Amino acid sequence: MTTLTIDTSAGISIGVVGENFEVLAARHETDSRHHAEHLTPMVAEVLKEAGISRPDLIVAGTGPAAFTGLRAGLMTARALGRGWGVPVEGVSSLEVLALAAADAGAQEVVSVIDARRKEVYALRARPMGADDVAVITEARVLKPAALAEELAKEPAVLAAPSEDLYPDELGERTVVHADPAVMVRLAASRKARVEAGEDLDLGTEPQYLRRPDVHGGAHAQPKAEGNPYQ
């Protein structure tokens, strides 16, 4: 059983995971603005390194993230799944970061991803078993200063994909990435819970918490309630 992982929530993370969650190949690109140029070559590289022509499963990060990058990653995952005839499952990118921080010992985590416009996407979670997290506060958009105030009142380990994501406002953090093994572990846990009767979503609907950065005249579009693309 081999799994291809694709996440474009913070840069581009591609990997191939084999049995027992062994990472057979992985690539990470911090460039968050040239997904079209990087995605396909990176997928080809990890498949070649892993010694497979196609995986048995694809797991994709569903964000939240910037519109263009997230759409590119999920469209690539869906297209490859259709072309290869393999299933595609989705997991929250913020929950993947939270599980990675839990692996490092965190007992309560606030995971964050850059939302641009001087804001972050944030989600609060706790470990639930070895391979899953329980979400305490769903993903939302916050100013870094507002999140810092929240963390001062309700302490938690901040999990971020880089050291330079608002270091002055957010301060100390655990740096984590969309690790391929963590993505597969989380997807496997969620699938087992679904098979046990829980109502959980493994779909690949992207988490767009607001509208894309499209300008009309001098002003950006206002924030949207929920997912404006449903």
Side-chain angles (χ1 to χ4, degrees):
M1 176 74 175
T2 54
T3 304
L4 173 70
T5 64
I6 298 175
D7 187 275
T8 52
S9 61
I12 306 171
S13 293
I14 309 290
V16 175
V17 178
E19 297 292 338
N20 300 315
F21 307 117
E22 178 188 2
V23 178
L24 305 178
R27 296 288 187 279
H28 182 73
E29 171 58 59
T30 58
D31 184 351
S32 61
R33 296 183 181 274
H34 297 89
H35 296 84
E37 294 89 340
H38 294 305
L39 269 166
T40 301
M42 288 173 71
V43 169
E45 287 174 10
V46 296
L47 291 177
K48 182 178 180 180
E49 184 175 328
I52 62 173
S53 58
R54 68 178 183 181
D56 301 301
L57 171 69
I58 299 172
V59 173
T62 59
F67 176 84
T68 302
L70 185 58
R71 179 180 60 178
L74 288 170
M75 287 181 65
T76 297
R78 291 169 179 170
L80 291 173
R82 284 195 298 269
W84 287 328
V86 301
V88 182
E89 297 174 352
V91 291
S92 160
S93 303
L94 282 173
E95 291 174 42
V96 170
L97 298 185
L99 180 55
D103 287 346
Q107 294 303 305
E108 186 154 330
V109 184
V110 172
S111 51
V112 294
I113 291 171
D114 188 8
R116 300 181 183 172
R117 305 186 197 171
K118 299 182 179 180
E119 294 175 322
V120 294
Y121 299 113
L123 173 144
R124 183 177 287 257
R126 292 193 186 106
M128 187 173 68
D131 300 313
D132 213 328
V133 293
V135 175
I136 302 168
T137 305
E138 296 286 349
R140 60 245 158 88
V141 182
L142 290 171
K143 294 288 186 185
L147 179 56
E149 289 181 11
E150 180 182 297
L151 287 168
K153 295 176 183 176
E154 301 177 72
V157 172
L158 183 74
S162 71
E163 290 282 6
D164 58 1
L165 182 61
Y166 302 107
D168 295 336
E169 295 93 334
L170 297 180
E172 185 178 350
R173 80 278 313 274
T174 295
V175 176
V176 290
H177 300 288
D179 181 272
V182 175
M183 292 182 68
V184 176
R185 285 168 49 211
L186 183 59
S189 176
R190 297 291 167 83
K191 188 171 183 178
R193 291 169 62 187
V194 168
E195 291 171 351
E198 290 190 54
D199 183 16
L200 298 172
D201 182 17
L202 279 168
T204 57
E205 184 71 19
Q207 293 186 60
Y208 295 133
L209 300 189
R210 65 184 184 199
R211 298 184 185 277
D213 293 317
V214 177
H215 292 265
H219 303 287
Q221 293 188 34
K223 294 179 181 178
E225 295 295 330
N227 185 343
Y229 297 92
Q230 289 180 333

